Amino acid sequence: MAEQNFDLIVVGGGPGGYVAAIRAAQLKMNVALVEREHLGGICLNWGCIPTKALLRTSEINHLLHHLDAYGFKAENVSFDIAKIVDRSRKVANQLSGGVKHLLKKNKVTVFDGAGKLDGVAGGNRKIKVEKDGKPVADLTAKNVILATGARARQAPGMEGDGKLIWTYKDAMVPKELPKSLLVVGSGAIGIEFASFYHNLGVDVTVVEMMDRVLPVEDEEISALARKSFEKQGLKIRTSATVKDVKKAANSVTATIETGGKTESITVDRVIVAIGIVGNIENIGLEGTKIKVEKTHVVADEHLFTGEPGVYAIGDLVGPPWLAHKASHEGIIAVETIAGLKTHAMDVTNIPGCTYCMPQVASVGLTEAKAKAAGHEVKVGRFPYIGNGKAIAMGETEGMIKTVFDAKTGELLGAHMIGAEVTELIQGYVVAKNLETTEAQLMETIFAHPTLSEMMHESVLDAYGRAIHF
């Protein structure tokens, strides 16, 4: 098979890989993209996008059952789970098709298959592409970006079987709605599925081995989230582990240990959401200088792996494992390859969003981490109940919290829970990226009436100047 030569080969077409390929094409590189399954990767096809379509549907169902508060009346409200799933899949397919169009528009050559490092020839990296064990192409390029992503971590004894114990993929395409559900893990994925199914009327129990739900979030936000979830009717067990599961014909009985005490619950289905493992297998890492730690490739601040000409981005490398982080890393890697001046990735400037109800979003250091890092802090808070727009919307549950360095006024972190905080958080992300001080934020004019006014009030509160609460 004749070799095809490129300036850059990107292995993996997810939100890191396809963005890297397009940016490289903008910089006049001749680019090949190798993708074994779906353009857009897990994010567009089985993650970020279709799950938000599902969550939007469940939010609508929730509102339809609470119309009295808005002066409406509806009777015999029902839904069709098949149509809900179908809409989610159509949204995913539309966006995956959009990625295909963008790659074609930017003249990126796409290869359908699995890519694998295959040595060096004449100073170029070699990539072998295969599909179902059959050769597709032999490619060469001076530089390669590995963007093979990750997959759900399997729990021993609770491996996904597609019927009773679900992975995130199974949970997104239910043929029928279970009456009861156990969600193992309360990170973003677990809590989003818990929220989706609960809002459709499923009896949901969440088990988390850490001492709080959403354990990466600020402790105060985690506590408010748990209070809200339990008020809605979710059952939550923290500092808990699933010790055993027994499958019946159409149910699962799980033994849960909490503080030395055990309980058994029987549910229709179980969703396991306990993290991810990097897709490091069969990509040719053997015999290279590439290091792997805890199933993830080690890369420096410019995404270089230490193996000449090989970079790695996205879920394949270090946390946080987020689509927008992968995209940004792709751009850093490509621009480094192109010889442009690039900035190192600063994980404290990466926002995190959880699309449960109420939503949760954050950027930067939690209050506890800021103190642990040696900062003397000033902390501001502002509740949704004090905001006119939130009251008008009927969304009075939530809070915005800001953490500043007391000596310099530097914004160290911002943490939110409530309606639309996944949109609001970007204001603090921009402020943090620009190294905005508390004085500049105080002097910023926020439109009225908006939810964003709470961002201003939280800053003011950190310095004893809040007006409306």
Side-chain angles (χ1 to χ4, degrees):
M1 186 177 295
E3 289 184 345
Q4 300 179 60
N5 189 54
F6 295 87
D7 298 318
L8 173 68
I9 302 167
V10 181
V11 182
Y18 85 77
V19 168
I22 290 172
R23 180 63 184 132
Q26 290 175 343
L27 293 172
K28 309 304 180 185
M29 294 185 198
N30 183 19
V31 187
L33 176 69
V34 182
E35 171 53 49
R36 66 180 181 179
E37 193 171 6
H38 301 295
L39 290 173
I42 294 297
C43 174
L44 263 63
N45 294 280
W46 292 103
C48 318
I49 299 302
T51 55
K52 303 313 164 281
L54 293 174
L55 285 159
R56 174 61 173 161
T57 303
S58 73
E59 288 168 2
I60 291 171
N61 186 64
H62 174 82
L63 285 171
L64 288 172
H65 285 85
H66 294 81
L67 289 177
D68 283 352
Y70 299 90
F72 290 89
K73 184 177 181 180
E75 297 179 353
N76 302 317
V77 174
S78 63
F79 58 83
D80 184 331
I81 190 63
K83 288 184 177 180
I84 289 173
V85 171
D86 182 61
R87 176 179 179 272
S88 172
R89 300 317 308 153
K90 285 178 178 176
V91 168
N93 291 337
Q94 178 182 344
L95 285 166
S96 183
V99 171
K100 182 178 181 180
H101 167 74
L102 289 172
L103 292 167
K104 183 178 180 180
K105 173 186 173 183
N106 285 277
K107 296 180 173 58
V108 174
T109 305
V110 177
F111 291 89
D112 179 18
K116 181 178 182 179
L117 292 168
D118 192 37
V120 181
N124 284 337
R125 306 295 320 190
K126 297 170 66 178
I127 295 288
K128 185 178 289 295
V129 183
E130 295 183 343
K131 183 75 171 181
D132 300 325
K134 297 177 182 179
V136 172
D138 289 328
L139 313 179
T140 63
K142 185 177 180 181
N143 292 290
V144 170
I145 295 177
L146 299 176
T148 53
R151 61 189 183 277
R153 184 184 298 279
Q154 295 286 328
M158 289 189 289
E159 293 84 359
D161 59 18
K163 182 186 177 184
L164 297 174
I165 300 179
W166 290 349
T167 64
Y168 64 89
K169 283 190 177 182
D170 303 316
M172 291 178 63
V173 289
K175 292 182 173 58
E176 59 184 12
L177 210 61
K179 291 184 174 61
S180 56
L181 176 69
L182 173 65
V183 178
V184 183
S186 73
I189 294 173
I191 285 297
E192 286 183 359
F193 277 125
S195 192
F196 167 71
Y197 279 99
H198 173 73
N199 282 339
L200 293 183
V202 178
D203 181 11
V204 179
T205 301
V206 178
V207 173
E208 170 57 53
M209 68 180 298
M210 303 294 286
D211 61 356
R212 56 196 176 95
V213 297
L214 297 171
V216 302
E217 299 295 341
D218 184 88
E219 290 185 22
E220 203 168 351
I221 300 299
S222 290
L224 289 172
R226 177 171 187 163
K227 183 179 179 181
S228 176
F229 297 153
E230 290 184 326
K231 182 180 177 182
Q232 294 171 42
L234 272 77
K235 301 166 188 173
I236 296 174
R237 306 287 185 270
T238 51
S239 300
T241 55
V242 178
K243 304 302 290 186
D244 183 50
V245 294
K246 288 185 171 62
K247 299 180 186 179
N250 201 33
S251 66
V252 179
T253 298
T255 301
I256 302 168
E257 183 179 296
T258 309
K261 298 180 180 180
T262 61
E263 65 175 317
S264 293
I265 65 168
T266 299
V267 295
D268 291 343
R269 299 292 182 267
V270 176
I271 296 175
V272 178
I274 57 170
I276 63 172
V277 293
N279 292 325
I280 57 174
E281 301 85 0
N282 302 313
I283 58 174
L285 301 185
E286 303 80 11
T288 70
K289 296 178 181 177
I290 298 173
K291 295 180 180 178
V292 174
E293 291 181 359
K294 297 180 180 178
T295 80
H296 295 280
V297 167
V298 177
D300 69 14
E301 66 272 18
H302 296 287
L303 294 312
F304 179 55
T305 64
E307 175 70 14
V310 182
Y311 296 75
I313 63 173
D315 285 358
L316 183 63
V317 297
W321 294 295
L322 300 167
H324 44 281
K325 177 248 194 188
S327 297
H328 198 71
E329 286 179 332
I331 291 171
I332 291 174
V334 165
E335 293 185 350
T336 299
I337 290 168
L340 302 180
K341 183 179 179 180
T342 57
H343 61 279
M345 173 64 80
D346 181 356
V347 296
T348 67
N349 285 341
I350 302 173
C353 299
T354 305
Y355 298 80
C356 48
M357 195 179 75
Q359 294 179 3
V360 175
S362 60
V363 65
L365 299 177
T366 65
E367 181 181 354
K369 287 185 176 178
K371 290 177 178 177
H375 294 279
E376 180 186 343
V377 301
K378 283 186 177 292
V379 178
R381 300 171 182 85
F382 196 83
Y384 266 58
I385 192 64
N387 177 260
K389 179 67 178 295
I391 294 171
M393 290 172 61
E395 298 283 1
T396 57
E397 184 178 51
M399 181 184 76
I400 293 180
K401 176 178 180 178
T402 46
V403 182
F404 291 90
D405 184 288
K407 296 178 181 178
T408 66
E410 177 188 359
L411 176 63
L412 300 174
H415 311 277
M416 306 175 166
I417 181 170
E420 303 303 327
V421 297
T422 57
E423 298 292 337
L424 294 176
I425 192 63
Q426 197 60 31
Y428 284 133
V429 176
V430 172
K432 196 170 181 308
N433 196 56
L434 295 177
E435 299 180 351
T436 307
T437 66
E438 93 290 4
Q440 291 167 319
L441 285 168
M442 287 181 189
E443 292 166 4
T444 300
I445 299 172
F446 287 74
H448 174 78
T450 63
L451 296 177
S452 67
E453 290 176 277
M454 291 183 287
M455 298 169 66
H456 192 215
E457 292 276 11
S458 181
V459 174
L460 291 170
D461 182 62
Y463 292 84
R465 293 176 50 181
I467 301 295
H468 291 98
F469 198 79

